[in-house]
């Protein structure tokens, strides 16, 4: 280690009591050394502008020196997700892979969620999410696609210290058995801002204005499998209606007939009678 760096470190060590966390916003040091001299360089503090802080966000100290050197910058402290296990059945959330966004959450009880019903599953953990973040409870995609299991509620506040519970909806037509120890959902830690709320008499104008709820289009080409059959059953006249696969051809929108489905999109050039049975 160069003598000048050693001298700077030793000097900083004298300025800051042990175990004190300091944010270095600006620390001006003047370093005097002479290449010919055998004595160690002298370090003098010329501006003492550093701040005690709970978190360390150090930028390198500013050093005015005739002999350029650098003071190592500290790595910012990463936020921590604290987890308290509330029973011996509880498990610390885990991530399935190195870059997984969500922490898998484990249930601690056997619970039967009836078809088209819901249930609240205990996890027996309490968490302390870092300030400036919240935990979003999200479904596990495997459970959602294979068993129609979706999560509900799902906002875990940073100041909540009670037991974490998972609300699961079973949107399928079959009962779903949750077993103790299953990974039932995942929690994603998301950054938030909580701006001050200001009531104003008018909002600024935008191109969208108050258009919403599908005003830009982009859907309504072909009903989902099954929906087509149902529409046919209900309204036999609709057999005359035309269903088309999504196409890049220009489409026209037929006006709503008295009995038929509304706004079926038809390509300008092609028409086909709907098949007896949809695929
Ligand atoms: O899926 C969830 C959603 C919430 N919570 C916990 C954490 C959250 O901080 C607390 C309150 O949730 P929320 O604010 O959504 O509930 P609320 O109905 O608005 O109740 P409160 O008036 O207590 O805020 O409940 C869970 O354990 N699981």
């Amino acid at each position: 280690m160069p003598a000048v760096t050693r001298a700077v470190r030793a000097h900083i060590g004298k300025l800051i009591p042990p175990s004190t966390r300091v944010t270095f916003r600006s620390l001006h040091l003047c370093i005097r050394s002479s290449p010919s001299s055998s004595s160690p360089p002298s370090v003098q503090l010329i501006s003492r502008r550093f701040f005690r802080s709970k978190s360390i966000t150090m930028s390198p100290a500013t050093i005015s020196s005739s002999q350029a050197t650098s003071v190592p910058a500290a790595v910012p402290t990463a936020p921590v997700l604290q987890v308290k296990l509330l029973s011996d059945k509880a498990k610390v959330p885990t991530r399935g892979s190195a870059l997984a966004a969500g922490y898998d959450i484990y249930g601690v009880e056997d619970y039967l969620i009836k078809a088209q019903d819901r249930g609240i599953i205990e996890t027996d953990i309490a968490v302390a999410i870092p300030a400036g973040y919240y935990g979003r409870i999200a479904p596990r995609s495997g459970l959602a696609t294979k068993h129609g299991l979706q999560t509900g509620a799902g906002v875990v506040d940073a100041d909540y210290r009670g037991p974490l519970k998972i609300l699961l909806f079973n949107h399928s037509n079959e009962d779903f058995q949750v077993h103790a120890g299953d990974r039932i959902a995942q929690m994603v830690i998301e950054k938030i801002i909580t701006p001050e709320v200001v009531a104003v008499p008018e909002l600024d104008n935008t191109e969208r204005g108050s258009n919403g709820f599908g005003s830009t289009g982009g859907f309504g080409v072909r009903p989902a499998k099954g929906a087509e059959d149902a529409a046919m059953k209900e309204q036999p006249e609709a057999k005359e209606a035309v269903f088309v696969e999504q196409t890049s051809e220009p489409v026209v929108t037929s006006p709503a007939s008295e009995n038929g489905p509304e706004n079926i999109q038809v390509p300008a050039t092609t028409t086909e009678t709907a098949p007896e049975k949809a695929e």
Side-chain angles (χ1 to χ4, degrees), residues 109-259:
E109 56 181 340
D110 293 341
Y111 194 114
L112 185 75
I113 311 176
K114 292 219 175 274
Q116 303 295 346
D117 203 352
R118 63 180 183 266
I120 292 181
I121 318 295
E122 299 291 340
T123 67
D124 282 4
I125 63 168
V127 295
I129 288 166
Y133 299 79
Y134 83 104
R136 178 169 64 86
I137 305 295
R140 294 191 64 213
S141 58
L143 290 177
T145 49
K146 289 185 200 138
H147 302 286
L149 280 196
Q150 270 287 348
T151 52
V155 173
V156 183
D157 303 287
D159 56 359
Y160 178 69
R161 297 291 176 269
L164 184 71
K165 296 169 193 257
I166 304 297
L167 173 59
L168 285 181
F169 288 96
N170 178 358
H171 292 302
S172 80
N173 291 325
E174 285 171 21
D175 297 353
F176 184 83
Q177 178 67 56
V178 174
H179 297 285
D182 282 353
R183 288 176 294 158
I184 48 175
Q186 56 183 315
M187 182 167 72
V188 183
I189 309 295
E190 296 182 353
K191 217 172 188 149
I192 49 167
I193 60 165
T194 48
E196 186 192 348
V197 179
V198 180
V200 293
E202 293 296 337
L203 300 172
D204 63 342
N205 289 322
T206 65
E207 194 183 329
R208 173 186 284 271
S210 49
N211 293 329
F213 302 97
S215 64
T216 61
F219 52 84
V221 174
R222 187 183 178 99
K225 193 173 180 307
E228 219 172 273
D229 282 342
M232 293 294 175
K233 237 183 240 167
E234 255 180 53
Q235 300 171 337
E237 300 87 342
K239 278 190 180 163
E240 298 307 315
V242 176
F243 292 104
V244 294
E245 296 289 352
Q246 188 154 14
T247 170
S248 54
E249 291 173 49
V251 294
V252 292
T253 304
S254 67
S257 73
E258 210 170 289
N259 294 315

Side-chain angles (χ1 to χ4, degrees), residues 75-124:
V75 179
T77 314
V80 169
L81 172 64
Q82 294 181 0
V83 177
K84 183 177 173 190
L85 304 183
L86 305 175
S87 80
D88 53 7
K89 285 182 280 174
K91 290 188 188 169
V92 171
T94 53
R95 287 191 305 134
S97 66
L99 298 182
Y103 292 80
D104 286 337
I105 305 291
Y106 295 79
V108 290
E109 56 181 340
D110 293 341
Y111 194 114
L112 185 75
I113 311 176
K114 292 219 175 274
Q116 303 295 346
D117 203 352
R118 63 180 183 266
I120 292 181
I121 318 295
E122 299 291 340
T123 67
D124 282 4

Side-chain angles (χ1 to χ4, degrees), residues 1-72:
M1 187 192 305
V4 69
T5 308
R6 239 186 348 259
V8 169
R9 284 195 177 169
H11 189 75
I12 290 173
K14 270 186 253 155
L15 296 171
I16 304 161
S19 307
T20 305
R21 288 180 162 189
V22 170
T23 299
F24 284 89
R25 298 268 168 74
S26 177
L27 179 63
H28 296 268
L29 299 175
C30 177
I31 300 168
R32 290 205 184 84
S33 75
S34 147
S36 55
S37 156
S38 58
S39 57
S42 71
V43 178
Q44 184 197 346
L45 185 68
I46 54 175
S47 166
R48 194 186 181 118
R49 284 197 286 137
F50 56 87
F51 306 91
R52 281 165 202 233
S53 161
K54 280 192 179 154
S55 65
I56 301 178
T57 49
M58 288 191 184
S59 60
T62 307
I63 298 170
S64 91
S65 164
S66 57
Q67 191 175 335
T69 186
S70 65
V71 174

